[in-house]
Amino acid sequence: MKPTLVILAAGMASRYGSMKQIQSFGPSGETIMDYSIYDAIRAGFGKIVFIIREEFAENFKAIFEPKLNGRIATDYVYQHLNAFTGGRTIPAERSKPWGTAHAVLCCKGKVNEPFAVINADDYYGRDAFVKAHQFLTTQCNEQTYCIVGYELKNTLSDNGSVSRGVCDIDADHNLTDINERTSIFRGENGKITYQDDTGLHEVSEDSLVSMNYLCFAPGFIDLCEAQFHEFLDKHMNEPKAEFFIPTATKHYIQSGKGVVKVIPTSAKWFGVTYKEDAPGVQASINALVASGEYPTSLWA
């Protein structure tokens, strides 16, 4: 059975100010997602599952269905605020989705095979898809998941701070801890720093970080369901609280259910966190096309 690629595209793009998931960056109007899908197809993935908000569905399908038809199977999952909340009353001030692990939970019943999860608005590079496919088809089981790990220095934005899941690993390249650092930037002294409630902390350039490229067996979805109910019990009335994939992954490790391999990639990440990132993304894609990594028109 070929693995599935799950693409997280339900975010509200609050910092970016538009629906960045479907913005054109490639020479023939390609989105960042198009390059991920192209890399997934050539690596051997069998299906794409898009997690989107239902109000965007018509627009979204009109863009992606014509070009993917006949190339790879597609399916859609809608991340509703009340999905899997067990009948709880959603606070009136809650508008944003419950986070990435809740998005994965919304795939319950649609994804029943080993799968990878990525963000819609991140470019991951061909090497990441090759390594993920290799893992999903040869090593993945309910006791062994993985994160594709990027070198922190390859994942920064010149236009502001970024959020990264910083990985701690043991000698066997198994994840021992992962911490979501929500404000990482290169300081004026050239050092990479993150800021939290206790102040500023330096972090190594070569630290491996999660860019939300993770590989799981289908049982992870059930794990997310159990964890989501605990999350709601604690954070239901916090309008900005989110249930992140790293949180569920950390629980999987710490509860002794299995190991999470951290598979390094040398690929350079780029993405659109801020509007000002867009020209750099366009230039990076043009350079990849010019080098022959991608055709001028992906789906011609």
Side-chain angles (χ1 to χ4, degrees), residues 21-288:
Q21 293 94 336
I22 55 174
Q23 180 169 338
S24 299
F25 288 102
S28 298
E30 292 88 355
T31 65
I32 294 179
M33 244 185 299
D34 281 306
Y35 290 93
S36 293
I37 295 165
Y38 186 85
D39 284 336
I41 291 171
R42 61 180 173 174
F45 283 78
K47 183 170 75 172
I48 307 290
V49 173
F50 296 101
I51 303 178
I52 57 175
R53 291 170 67 195
E54 194 165 7
E55 59 266 36
F56 296 150
E58 205 171 312
N59 188 3
F60 196 97
K61 290 180 183 181
I63 292 167
F64 285 95
E65 283 305 309
K67 53 194 172 191
L68 298 182
N69 187 28
R71 289 188 165 93
I72 192 166
T74 57
D75 206 348
Y76 295 84
V77 166
Y78 304 130
Q79 186 179 8
H80 292 296
L81 261 183
N82 59 359
F84 298 96
T85 53
R88 292 171 173 85
T89 302
I90 311 294
E93 63 272 23
R94 181 84 199 189
S95 59
K96 69 187 301 183
W98 292 109
T100 52
H102 177 252
V104 170
L105 170 55
C106 291
C107 292
K108 191 175 172 83
K110 292 252 188 181
V111 176
N112 304 298
E113 59 285 321
F115 66 98
V117 181
I118 64 167
N119 293 335
D121 48 6
D122 289 316
Y123 171 85
Y124 291 98
R126 183 179 188 172
D127 181 63
F129 288 89
V130 171
K131 286 183 171 161
H133 181 270
Q134 191 174 12
F135 172 82
L136 288 164
T137 52
T138 61
Q139 295 182 64
C140 185
N141 57 55
E142 295 298 358
Q143 288 75 49
T144 315
Y145 301 160
C146 97
I147 287 173
V148 177
Y150 286 74
E151 294 170 13
L152 178 57
K153 63 176 181 275
N154 285 340
T155 73
L156 300 178
S157 167
D158 293 331
N159 299 302
S161 65
V162 295
S163 296
R164 300 289 177 256
V166 180
C167 301
D168 295 335
I169 55 176
D170 65 18
D172 297 319
H173 266 267
N174 293 331
L175 187 73
T176 56
D177 199 3
I178 183 167
N179 291 291
E180 188 80 14
R181 305 300 185 196
T182 53
S183 183
I184 297 183
F185 55 94
R186 193 181 287 282
E188 288 174 15
N189 60 0
K191 305 279 189 190
I192 300 178
T193 304
Y194 73 85
Q195 185 167 17
D196 64 12
D197 295 341
T198 63
L200 294 171
H201 310 271
E202 197 179 314
V203 56
S204 165
E205 303 226 336
D206 301 323
S207 296
L208 289 177
V209 297
S210 166
M211 298 305 302
N212 259 7
Y213 196 140
L214 302 102
C215 299
F216 300 112
F220 181 71
I221 297 171
D222 298 319
L223 186 78
C224 287
E225 185 168 21
Q227 283 296 294
F228 184 53
H229 289 289
E230 289 185 27
F231 167 87
L232 289 177
D233 290 341
K234 290 179 189 165
H235 305 289
M236 185 75 174
N237 294 310
E238 298 167 34
K240 292 192 171 176
E242 290 186 68
F243 177 41
F244 291 119
I245 291 172
T247 310
T249 305
K250 195 165 165 172
H251 176 265
Y252 168 81
I253 299 165
Q254 292 177 344
S255 58
K257 290 181 166 61
V259 297
V260 177
K261 298 276 176 200
V262 180
I263 298 176
T265 177
S266 57
K268 186 170 185 338
W269 167 95
F270 54 82
V272 196
T273 305
Y274 303 96
K275 262 203 167 74
E276 294 77 12
D277 292 329
V281 168
Q282 202 146 17
S284 297
I285 288 175
N286 286 338
L288 287 163

